[in-house]
Amino acid sequence: MQSFSYIPNTEQDRREMLATIGVDSLDALFSDIPDAVRFKGLLNLPDAMSEYEMMNELKRLARQNVSLEDAISFLGAGAYQHVIPSVVDAMISRSEFYTAYTPYQPEISQGILQAIFEYQTLMAELTGLDVSNASLYDGATAIGEAAMMACSHTRRNRVLVSAAVNPDYRAVLDTYARGQHVETDTIAEIDGATDHTELVAKLQDDVAAVVLQYPNFFGTIEDVRAVCELAHEKKVLVIVSTNPIALGLLESPGALGADIVVAEGQPLGNSLSFGGPYLGIITVKEALLRKLPGRIAGQTVDREGRRGFVLTLQAREQHIRREKASSNICSNQALNALAASVYLSYMGPDGLYNVAKQCLAKAHYARDCFIKAGAKAVHQAAFFHEFVLDLGPRSEQILDTLKKDNIFFGVPLRSLGSRYENAVLLAVTEVHAKSAIDEVANRLEGLL
Amino acid sequence: MQSFSYIPNTEQDRREMLATIGVDSLDALFSDIPDAVRFKGLLNLPDAMSEYEMMNELKRLARQNVSLEDAISFLGAGAYQHVIPSVVDAMISRSEFYTAYTPYQPEISQGILQAIFEYQTLMAELTGLDVSNASLYDGATAIGEAAMMACSHTRRNRVLVSAAVNPDYRAVLDTYARGQHVETDTIAEIDGATDHTELVAKLQDDVAAVVLQYPNFFGTIEDVRAVCELAHEKKVLVIVSTNPIALGLLESPGALGADIVVAEGQPLGNSLSFGGPYLGIITVKEALLRKLPGRIAGQTVDREGRRGFVLTLQAREQHIRREKASSNICSNQALNALAASVYLSYMGPDGLYNVAKQCLAKAHYARDCFIKAGAKAVHQAAFFHEFVLDLGPRSEQILDTLKKDNIFFGVPLRSLGSRYENAVLLAVTEVHAKSAIDEVANRLEGLL
Amino acid sequence: ENFPLIFERSKPGRKAYSLPVLDVPDVELSTVVPDGYQRKEMAALPEISEVDLVRHYTGLSTRNHGVDSGFYPLGSCTMKYNPKRNELAARLTGFSQIHPLQPTETVQGALTLLYRLQNHLSEITGMDAVSLQPAAGAAGEWTGLMMIRAYHEARGEKRTRVIVPDSAHGTNPASAAVAGFTTITIPSNERGGVDLEALRDALGNDTAALMLTNPSTLGLFEEDIVEIADLVHRAGGLLYYDGANANAILGQTRPGDMGFDVVHLNLHKTFTTPHGGGGPGAGPVGVKRDLIPYLPVPRIVLREDNLYDLSFDAKASIGKVKGFYGNFGILVRAYAYILTMGPVGLKRVSEDAVLNANYLMKRLSEAYDVAFERICKHEFVLSGRTLKKNGVKTLDVAKRILDFGYHPPTIYFPLNVEEAMMIEPTETESKETLDAFVEVMLQIAKEAEETPEIVKNAPHQTVINRLDETQAARAPVLRYRKPTVL
Amino acid sequence: ENFPLIFERSKPGRKAYSLPVLDVPDVELSTVVPDGYQRKEMAALPEISEVDLVRHYTGLSTRNHGVDSGFYPLGSCTMKYNPKRNELAARLTGFSQIHPLQPTETVQGALTLLYRLQNHLSEITGMDAVSLQPAAGAAGEWTGLMMIRAYHEARGEKRTRVIVPDSAHGTNPASAAVAGFTTITIPSNERGGVDLEALRDALGNDTAALMLTNPSTLGLFEEDIVEIADLVHRAGGLLYYDGANANAILGQTRPGDMGFDVVHLNLHKTFTTPHGGGGPGAGPVGVKRDLIPYLPVPRIVLREDNLYDLSFDAKASIGKVKGFYGNFGILVRAYAYILTMGPVGLKRVSEDAVLNANYLMKRLSEAYDVAFERICKHEFVLSGRTLKKNGVKTLDVAKRILDFGYHPPTIYFPLNVEEAMMIEPTETESKETLDAFVEVMLQIAKEAEETPEIVKNAPHQTVINRLDETQAARAPVLRYRKPTVL
C-alpha cells in the first residue's frame, strides 16, 4: 500500500480499528452516503509527488516569477516593499504559534492571547484610538467592516467615500454595502485630495460615515482634521484608512478626530506574497467597542490572582449573535498580526520614525529625479511616499521597455479616467537605494 | 551614539553601571592592558551594515555561486547530494537546540542529551557496533581520531591505509599521525580495491590498525570481511570508513568484523554547504569504549527514579585528562548529529533501504549510459553509487564544456597518478532523475 | 510570577532596529508635511534589544499549545498536521517577494499555480468553477451567498430567506445576514439529520438557499441529501455547501454530485494550511455553471496565447470581495498539499479521518454518552450529561484534559446537544495517540465519579489556572497602559 | 512519566519518508552486490509518522535551555545572542547547496567570502595570515601547535615542551599532547596572572611555546604580557594565543600586537555563531609572517586574473587538518556578524562585555567571594567557599539557579579557585537581565544561610531533578535496546 507522510495508520492498525468498531471494511464506514452520490474511482488530479518532486515543481513555478530581489520596483497602491527584519519570520515560525487554533482554551493559549493583547495595544497606540480588535482580513475588507459597523451604530445606511480612496478598497466596500443594503456615494477628488465642498454638500442626515484615506491612494496627506470637523457637525462618523508606516511620522488619525481607523497592515513586517495573506487593522473609539467585529483579547486574573488573558466580549460575535450579527468574521489574520507586533516591537518608536522618514525623503528625492528626467507631476499636494507622474502618450511603451529590464516603474492609473490616462502611481520606501533611483531616472530620461 | 541590535545597554545604563562599579569611564576598565599594546583607533574593517544591506551583500555573493539547484552534478568524493526532508531543518531550527551549549546541566538539557542518546543508538544500529560517541568533526578527522585511538589502545604506532581511501582523509590522517609520532603506510589498490597481498605483507607486529573505506573512494564495495580476518590474526584493529547511506543496503561493517567504524555523516540530512559543517561518525566495539574520544551521553535516573540522560565517562576527556589526553576534542558537531537523527528517524529502515537502492540502481544505470556514450570504465569491481570513468585525452576540455552548461560531470582524479590522468569520479544518488542522466549522456556522446 | 508584557521590558533609548543610512538628501519635515500633521507624540512602542525581543516571543510560544505540541481533537476545526514542506514552499522568494500588481508576464508562475489550484478544487468538489479570493470560511460563505443573491436577482426573483439547520456554525446565519438575507432555522431530526418535514415547511418562493454542512457539525452524513437537494431545487432555491467538514468526504463524494450549487472549502482545515493561532486561512468558493457569471473579480484565466491573466471582465460579477487575489501564501501551501497527496492520498485522508473518528467514538462510548448512535464521519459529539450528577460539567472535563498535554475537544457546540463535546481526531493521528487519549478520557470519567473535585478544579498543570472571564467582559482591559508614576 | 525515546514511538510498517519513484531499471541486488555483502538485518531505525517525529523533537526542544530561552552566563563559553539574520544568510541556496569540489569558477562568491573573512580576522587579531579550516577551538589549537612544531623543526631545533598556566582550559595541554609535545604547567601568581618566576624557570631551549589565554579563564588580563612575550621569544619559543576569551579585547588590543605568533579564535564564542548544543563551531587560526609557510592546505588565494582559487601549493605546509575548507556554514555566519558590527560595533562589544562583567562582579561581591579583587575583563570567578559552612556547595548553587530559568555559571573551573563559579554575562545582555540575576543570586546566598536544604535539594522546578551520574558512569547505558519480549 502506498504510504503518506501525514497518515500514520498502518494496514494492521486499520484492521484492528475496524474490528474494534465492529465493521468489516472501510467501505462500511461510508455506507451512509447514498450510492447515487458516492464518487467512484479516483479524482482527476496529478499523481502524488514525493517531497523532492513537489518542491522542485514549486521551485520551477516560483522561478517563473520575477521576484523583487531581481527587480527595481516602485509598485505600491496598497502593497509595499519594506525591509522585514529576520526576527519576524523566526518568531512567527515557532510552531506553537502557527500550528495553533484560535485560543479557545486560555490556560494553554496564553502565548497567543498575550500576543494579541500586545498587538491591540500597539494598534491603539499607533492609530491614536482606544480599542483594537485582534485583526481583520486585510485593508480592503477592513473598510467594508468599518462602514457596516458605522451604519449599524448610527442606524443610518449611507456612506460617503472619497474618490481618493484606493479603488480596490472602494470596490470591496461596494460589495459589502450591497450585501447589507447600504448605499455608497463618491466624493470627488481635486488635485489628488478629497473635495471638501462636495463633501459638505453630501453630508446629509442619512449619512453614517465618511471614508477617506490618509495618506490617500495618490499619496496625498489628506486634511483629516477638517473632514472630521465637518462630519462630526452632522454626527457623521469618520473612517480613516491609513498606512501604519506613515504613522511613525504623521499625526495619528485618532488625534485628528477619526472615529474608526482601518489600515492595511502588510507594511508591518508582512511579505508581499502576491497580495496575501495581509493584515486588516481596525481600531475604534471606546463608544464603538460593542459594535467592533472580530476577536478581542482582554486581561483578567486566574484563581490565584495571576494576570492572564482571554478572548472576551464574545457577545458581539457571530457564534453568539448568529442571524443578528452585523459581521460574520470568525478566523482572522492572527499570524500576520503577530508579525506586525514583532515588527513594531523590533523597530520601536525611533525605528518606525526612521522608516517613515526614509520613505518620505526617498519618495521626494525620486519624484524630483523623475520629473527632472521628463515625467510630469500630476498633483501638487503634500504627499507621503506615493505620488503620481504623467509619462505622456508613450506611457505604455515606456513602462513596457522598463519592465523588460525588470524595472516596475509604477501602477498605471488609466482605469481612473481620462485625467490619468498616461499616469502612473509610484511608491518609494527605505528599500530603494539612491543608486537604484538614479539608475531608473537615467533610463527614464532616455525614454522620454 | 550608533546603536547595535545585539547590544542592549543604553548610554544611561552605561553611566549607572560605571557608577556602581566605581570607575569613571569605560577606559578605566581597560587600564590593565599595557598602553604599549592598546589598539588605538578603529580596526580596518568595512563600516557596519544594516541587516538589509548585509543580507543584500551576502545574497550577491551567494548568487556568484552556481548552486546545485541550477546544475546537474555528479560530484561526490566525500560530499553527497541527497534529498533532505524539510522536517530536518524545521527541527534543528528550534532555538532551544541550536542556541544551547554542550549539555553540562542535565536538568535543563534533557532535550539535547536524549537526542544524543538516540543518535548514539542510531549510529550503533547502522554500523553494527556497540557504542557511538556524540560526534566528531567530519569523516576526515574521524579517521585521524580512530587511528590515534587504535594506536593508544594497542600501544603500537604504525597504521596501514588503503590507497583506495579518500585521499583527503589520508592527508588528514597523515597530519594526525605526524602529531602523535605515528607512522602511516599505504596499501596499494588494484582495480579500485585494496590489494590484499600487499596488505598481508605489511601486517607486521607494530601495526596498530588497518584503515579501509567501504564503499571506498572509487565506489568499490571492499571485501571488509577478508581484511578483518587477515588483520585480526595479527591482533591488528580494523578501522572502516563507511558511507551511512550505503548501510541501508550493504552489510554493516560491524557485522563484517570491523573494530572501529567511522563515517562522514553529511549524507544523513546535512546540506553540502561547500564542505562543512559536516558530521564525524565513530562507533567502536565495547572493548574500546574507554579510549573513545569525545562526548558520550548515558542513561541514568533522577532521585525519583525518572529516566534521564547525562554526559558520562568524562574521565576519558581532555578537560579531565589534560596533558595525558589522546584526543583534544571538546566541541563537536552536535547539531549535525541531530540532523542525522531526524533524517534517520524520518526515513526509517524502509526509507533508508530505498535511498540506498535508488543510489545503487541509478549509479549503475548512469554508468551504463555514459559508457554507451563513449566513456571507458576504469574498474570492474562491484560498486555502490560512485564509479570511475576515463574520458580520454580530451577529458579536461570535455569537463570544461559541460561545466559551461552547469553540468558538473565528476571529480578529476589526475592527482592520483598516471592511471587516472583522464579519469573522473562520479557519484549518482536518488536526486538524479533518469531524464537528467539521459541528457548528460547525450551531451557526452556529442563530445566524445 | 506574571510573564512580562513586551511593554514592561521596554527601556527608553534601547534599540534593536537596523536600517540603511539615509543616502538621499534629508528633507525638512516642515517643508513637506502640512502644518499640524507631524506626529506630536510618538506611539509608545516598546524599546527593546533583539535578544530580549526573541526571548519574549520565544517565551510566549512556550506558553501555547499547537498541533506540534500534541493531539488537538478540536471538533470542526480539523487540526491536522501542518506539513513543514509547505512552509518552505510558501517562503520561496519567487512566491513571497512578488508584488500583486506586477505585470502579469512577470508572475506567470504564480498565476499558473492559482489556475491549477482552481481546477483541482473544482475537481475535488465537483463544481464547474472556483474563485480563490475569500480569506476565510466565513468570507467564502458571504461570497457564495452574494452570488446566490445575484443569481436570483438576475432572474427577477425576490428571494430573501436562507434556511439553516440548528446544528449549523454561527457563521452560516451571520453570513446570511451580512449578505442581506433573513434566516430560518430548522431543527434536526432524531438521527441528527435535516428534518424533512420542517424543511418542506420552511421552503417557499422566498427561499434563496439552504445552507448545509455535510457531514454536519454532529459528524453525521446527511443521508437524505438527494431528496433534500431535490426539494430545495424544486422550490426554486439553491444549495450551499459549507465545506468545514470536507475532510470526511475527499474522494468519497462531491458536493457538486450531491446537488450543491455553491460550495466553500476551508483550506486551513481540509488542506493542512496552518491555523496560525486564528488565521490566516483561505475559503475558496466553487459554483455550478449557472453561477459562474457572478464570481468575484478578478478571475484567473488562460488566454489564447497560453499566458495566464487576470480578468476583470465580468459584468454580472458580484465585484470584489477582498484586496487583490486571496491569501496567496495559503493557496501555495494548499496546492503543495494536493500535489503531495494526489488522488489516492486524498481518498486515504477521508478514509483514515473517518476510521479514526469511529474508533475513538467506539472506545469513548464506554464512559461517555454518544449523542447519536450511528456511524460518524470525521468527528462525533459526546454528551457530558451523565457526569453532571456529581456536578462535573463538560467545561470541567475540558479543563482536566489540559493536565495531560492535549487540547480539549470543542465544547458546548453544536447547540442542539446538551453538554456537548465535539471530537475530531483527523487522519494525521496514529492509533497510539488515540489510545492514549482514550485512557485519559476514561480516567477523567472515573475521576468525575470518584474524585470530582480534581476535575472541577482543573487544570492543575498549566502555567495559569482558570481565568475570570466574567471580570474580563465586565470591566474590559483591552490594552496595556503605562502605569502613571506618582 | 518518562519522555519516550523515539524508538519507543516506533511501530512496524509506519512510514514518514517520501521519495521519488525509481525511474530507472531496478537492479537485482545479487547481480551487483558481492555475495555476503547484502545487509542481513536492517538497522533498527524508528518507524514513525511525520507528525509524531515533529512532536518528538519539538517536545525534546522544550526540555532544553538555549540562549533564546534565557540568560546563559556560562563562563568561558561566551553565550551570546545568535543573530537570526545570520541563520538566514547561511541557508541561502547559493551557500548551502554548493559542492566543495565544484569548479572554482562556479564558487567565486564562496571563495570571495572566505578570502575576505581571512583578511578581517587577520586585522582583528593583528596577524599576517589566517586559515579558516579548523572545525573548533581545540582543532585550532592543534593546528597552531603543529605549525609551531613545523617551524622549529624547519629551523633544525628540537623543542618539545609547551608551557601552560594552571588556569588553562583542558584543551591546551591536550592539544599540546596530540601535537606531540609535552606540557609544563606553571602556577598563577596571587593576582591571577602568570608567575614570571615560574615562567622563567620553565623556559629553556626545549621550549616550543607558551600557550596563553588572555584575558585568562579567570577573566583577568595578563598585565605582564609585554614582558612575558619578550621572555618567551628570547628563549627561542613562540607565543600561542588561545582566543577563547577574545570577546574581551575586540578592538582594544590585538594578540599580534601583544607579541603572539599564533592565535586561534572561536567563532562560536566571539563571533556569535550558535553553539548548536555542542557544535559545530569554527576555530580559525592566524599566524605571523614567519609561520605562513606552515599553514594548512588548501589556502584561499586571489590569483592575478582576479579570480579566487584554492592553493594546495605549499611545500612546508603541515598538510590537511580537516576535510575540505572548514565549517563553511559557520564561517558565513561569522562573516555576516563582522559586516553587521563593523569596527565601531566590535569595539563596543568588548566595552559592554567588560562593563557587564564588572558590574555583575561588583554587585555579586555583596554575597560571594570574588576570587581576585581587580578589574575583570569579560568574565570573573567567584568562590562559593563561604557557603560551605552550611554544607552548601557550588554545585548546589548552580542547581538552585536552574529553578529561576537561568543557565548556571561554569562551576569547578578554573581548577585553581576553590568552589569556583565562572560567570560571563556577554554584551548581549541588558542591565535589567543582570539585575534580575543578581537578585536571584543574593536570594540563593540568603537561602544557603537560612534554609540550606532548599539549595541542597535543588532543582525543584525542572522536568527532572538531580541525576545519578555515578550510576551512569559505573554501569554505562549508552544506547537503547529494544526490550526482549518473553
Side-chain angles (χ1 to χ4, degrees), chain D residues 343-355:
Chain D
V344 173
L346 289 182
K347 190 167 184 182
R348 177 94 194 263
V349 164
S350 55
E351 284 173 8
D352 278 42
V354 169
L355 176 67

Side-chain angles (χ1 to χ4, degrees), chain C residues 355-368:
Chain C
L355 177 67
N356 279 359
N358 278 283
Y359 176 75
L360 204 51
M361 180 171 72
K362 179 74 180 185
R363 292 215 52 202
L364 291 176
S365 67
E366 193 184 311
Y368 295 85

Side-chain angles (χ1 to χ4, degrees), chain C residues 106-414:
Chain C
T106 68
V107 288
Q108 284 296 303
L111 293 172
T112 306
L113 186 152
L114 294 177
Y115 188 81
R116 291 186 187 161
L117 180 59
Q118 285 179 173
N119 288 346
H120 292 342
L121 296 179
S122 293
E123 168 69 10
I124 289 167
T125 54
M127 307 304 280
D128 295 314
V130 161
S131 167
L132 302 169
Q133 282 190 51
E141 294 174 22
W142 172 66
T143 303
L145 290 165
M146 289 296 288
M147 287 192 280
I148 288 173
R149 207 175 112 184
Y151 168 87
H152 289 308
E153 283 174 4
R155 296 157 60 98
E157 298 200 19
K158 196 169 160 63
R159 290 176 173 268
T160 57
R161 285 168 182 270
V162 166
I163 305 170
V164 300
D166 58 359
S167 61
H169 290 120
T171 50
N172 287 181
S175 297
V178 297
F181 293 107
T182 53
T183 301
I184 304 183
T185 302
I186 56 169
S188 304
N189 64 22
E190 73 287 349
R191 281 180 62 77
V194 169
D195 184 317
L196 291 185
E197 277 318 302
L199 175 62
R200 278 195 198 93
D201 290 350
L203 284 167
N205 57 12
D206 59 354
T207 301
L210 169 70
M211 295 183 84
L212 215 56
T213 310
N214 190 18
S216 70
T217 56
L218 299 162
L220 303 174
F221 194 84
E222 183 50 66
E223 295 162 316
D224 299 324
I225 184 61
V226 177
E227 188 171 357
I228 290 169
D230 192 47
L231 284 173
V232 174
H233 283 151
R234 273 197 282 151
L238 297 177
L239 271 95
Y240 184 95
Y241 184 88
D242 179 334
N245 294 345
N247 208 45
I249 59 151
L250 289 174
Q252 310 289 346
T253 180
R254 308 191 303 176
D257 301 341
M258 290 185 233
F260 286 91
D261 303 287
V262 184
V263 51
H264 88 260
L265 293 170
N266 301 71
L267 300 188
H268 45 294
K269 295 181 178 175
T270 313
F271 294 88
T272 68
T273 75
H275 284 78
V285 61
V287 294
K288 286 281 176 62
R289 195 160 311 281
D290 287 353
L291 285 123
I292 291 180
Y294 312 108
L295 281 167
V297 286
R299 298 192 54 202
I300 319 291
V301 295
L302 181 57
R303 297 192 321 216
E304 286 185 0
D305 61 359
N306 265 321
L307 285 181
Y308 294 91
D309 205 353
L310 297 164
S311 164
F312 289 84
D313 181 27
K315 285 178 212 70
S317 165
I318 59 163
K320 277 198 74 63
V321 299
K322 188 184 175 307
F324 307 115
Y325 330 118
N327 279 343
F328 178 73
I330 303 302
L331 303 172
V332 173
R333 290 171 173 88
Y335 183 66
Y337 179 67
I338 292 171
L339 291 189
T340 299
M341 302 307 285
V344 174
L346 289 182
K347 191 168 185 183
R348 176 93 195 262
V349 164
S350 54
E351 284 173 8
D352 277 42
V354 169
L355 177 67
N356 279 359
N358 278 283
Y359 176 75
L360 204 51
M361 180 171 72
K362 179 74 180 185
R363 292 215 52 202
L364 291 176
S365 67
E366 193 184 311
Y368 295 85
D369 247 32
V370 173
F372 295 90
E373 292 276 0
R374 43 181 281 208
I375 279 171
C376 68
K377 295 267 85 52
H378 65 302
E379 67 186 358
F380 57 95
V381 178
L382 299 179
S383 169
R385 63 192 152 219
T386 55
L387 309 180
K388 269 182 133 177
K389 60 175 183 289
N390 291 317
V392 172
K393 299 190 299 278
T394 283
L395 178 71
D396 301 322
V397 174
K399 297 303 180 195
R400 180 65 178 137
I401 290 173
L402 299 176
D403 285 333
F404 298 90
Y406 301 116
H407 196 288
T410 297
I411 52 175
Y412 301 112
F413 183 84

Side-chain angles (χ1 to χ4, degrees), chain A residues 1 4-9 14 16-17 20 28-29 32 34 37-39 43-44 46 48-49 51 57 61 65-69 76 79 89 93-96 98-102 105 107-112 114 117-118 120-121 125-126 130 138 175 178-180 223-225 247-251 256 272-274 276-277 298-304 307 312 318 322 328 331-336 345-351 354 357-358 360 362 403 408 434, chain C residues 2-4 6 8 15-17 20 23 26 29 36-37 39-40 42 44 46 48 50 56-57 60-61 63-68 72 82-85 91 93-94 96-99 102-103 105-107 109-110 116 123 136 138 149 168 170-171 174-175 177-180 221 223 252-253 274-280 318 320 322-323 327-329 339-343 345 348 351-352 356 362 375 377 399 427-428 431 464-466 468 472-473 477-480:
Chain A
M1 190 179 61
F4 295 93
S5 305
Y6 318 141
I7 305 186
N9 287 338
R14 293 175 125 199
E16 289 173 16
M17 291 163 82
T20 301
L29 297 178
D32 48 1
V37 300
R38 267 306 287 272
F39 184 78
L43 293 166
N44 180 20
M49 290 182 191
E51 173 165 336
E57 171 66 9
L61 289 174
N65 304 319
V66 177
S67 108
L68 294 193
E69 280 200 357
D89 198 52
S93 294
R94 290 285 301 180
S95 62
E96 295 93 335
Y98 80 83
T99 74
Y101 195 68
T102 302
Q105 294 289 342
E107 297 87 347
I108 57 168
S109 308
Q110 284 299 300
I112 280 176
Q114 180 169 332
F117 182 82
E118 293 174 357
Q120 290 172 181
T121 306
E125 278 291 335
L126 207 53
D130 302 318
D138 65 3
T175 314
R178 256 196 321 282
Q180 302 196 35
D223 191 352
V224 175
R225 195 180 275 114
L247 302 187
L249 184 151
L250 295 185
E251 188 53 283
L256 297 169
L272 283 167
S273 282
F274 203 48
Q299 180 179 317
T300 185
V301 291
D302 80 351
R303 290 175 175 179
E304 288 166 40
R307 178 170 69 191
T312 191
Q318 46 75 26
R322 300 179 72 92
N328 68 339
S331 79
N332 49 54
Q333 308 286 113
L335 204 67
N336 302 93
S345 302
Y346 192 72
M347 300 309 287
D350 197 57
N354 211 317
K357 186 76 183 293
Q358 292 210 13
L360 187 83
K362 292 192 170 203
K403 175 184 70 189
F408 307 140
K434 178 175 179 297
Chain C
N2 290 336
F3 191 87
I6 189 113
E8 293 165 343
K15 295 185 185 73
Y17 81 90
D23 60 356
D26 201 359
L29 286 185
Y37 279 84
R39 189 158 187 144
K40 280 189 288 292
M42 285 308 294
I48 192 165
E50 187 163 321
H56 180 73
Y57 288 103
L60 283 184
S61 78
R63 295 163 72 85
N64 220 69
H65 181 97
V67 171
D68 285 8
Y72 211 130
N82 308 128
K84 303 304 168 199
R85 62 187 79 161
R91 283 170 171 82
T93 304
S96 66
Q97 301 206 40
I98 51 176
H99 191 284
Q102 279 181 223
E105 308 92 288
T106 68
V107 288
R116 291 186 187 161
E123 168 69 10
R149 207 175 112 184
T171 50
S175 297
V178 297
F221 194 84
E223 295 162 316
Q252 310 289 346
T253 180
H275 284 78
I318 59 163
K320 277 198 74 63
K322 188 184 175 307
N327 279 343
F328 178 73
L339 291 189
T340 299
M341 302 307 285
R348 176 93 195 262
E351 284 173 8
D352 277 42
N356 279 359
K362 179 74 180 185
I375 279 171
K377 295 267 85 52
K399 297 303 180 195
E427 77 286 357
T428 67
K431 179 170 175 294
I464 208 156
N465 59 37
R466 288 198 207 183
D468 188 341
V477 179
L478 308 178
R479 55 163 296 188
Y480 169 81

Side-chain angles (χ1 to χ4, degrees), chain B residues 244-383:
Chain B
I245 296 289
L247 300 187
L249 185 151
L250 295 185
E251 189 53 284
S252 75
L256 296 169
D259 301 281
I260 304 174
V261 175
V262 292
E264 173 53 68
Q266 174 271 325
L268 303 175
N270 284 282
S271 63
L272 283 166
S273 284
F274 202 47
Y278 287 177
L279 168 65
I281 295 170
I282 187 166
T283 60
V284 298
K285 285 185 178 163
E286 184 95 43
L288 290 160
L289 168 59
R290 305 277 161 174
K291 294 284 181 188
L292 183 59
R295 313 285 187 199
I296 299 177
Q299 181 180 317
T300 185
V301 290
D302 81 349
R303 290 176 177 180
E304 289 166 39
R306 290 177 291 205
R307 178 171 68 191
F309 303 91
V310 293
L311 291 180
T312 191
L313 302 175
Q314 301 197 46
R316 301 164 299 108
E317 292 190 58
Q318 45 75 26
H319 63 284
I320 307 288
R321 295 187 63 79
R322 299 179 73 90
E323 61 269 24
K324 293 185 200 72
S326 53
S327 167
N328 68 339
I329 192 165
C330 175
S331 79
N332 50 53
Q333 308 285 113
L335 204 68
N336 302 93
L338 180 63
S341 291
V342 177
Y343 176 83
L344 287 171
S345 303
Y346 191 74
M347 300 310 286
D350 197 59
L352 192 67
Y353 174 80
N354 211 317
V355 171
K357 186 77 182 296
Q358 292 212 12
C359 289
L360 187 82
K362 293 193 170 205
H364 283 74
Y365 175 78
R367 186 169 176 269
D368 289 349
C369 289
F370 299 151
I371 287 172
K372 264 189 220 126
K376 287 194 183 51
V378 173
H379 303 134
Q380 304 309 322
F383 66 99

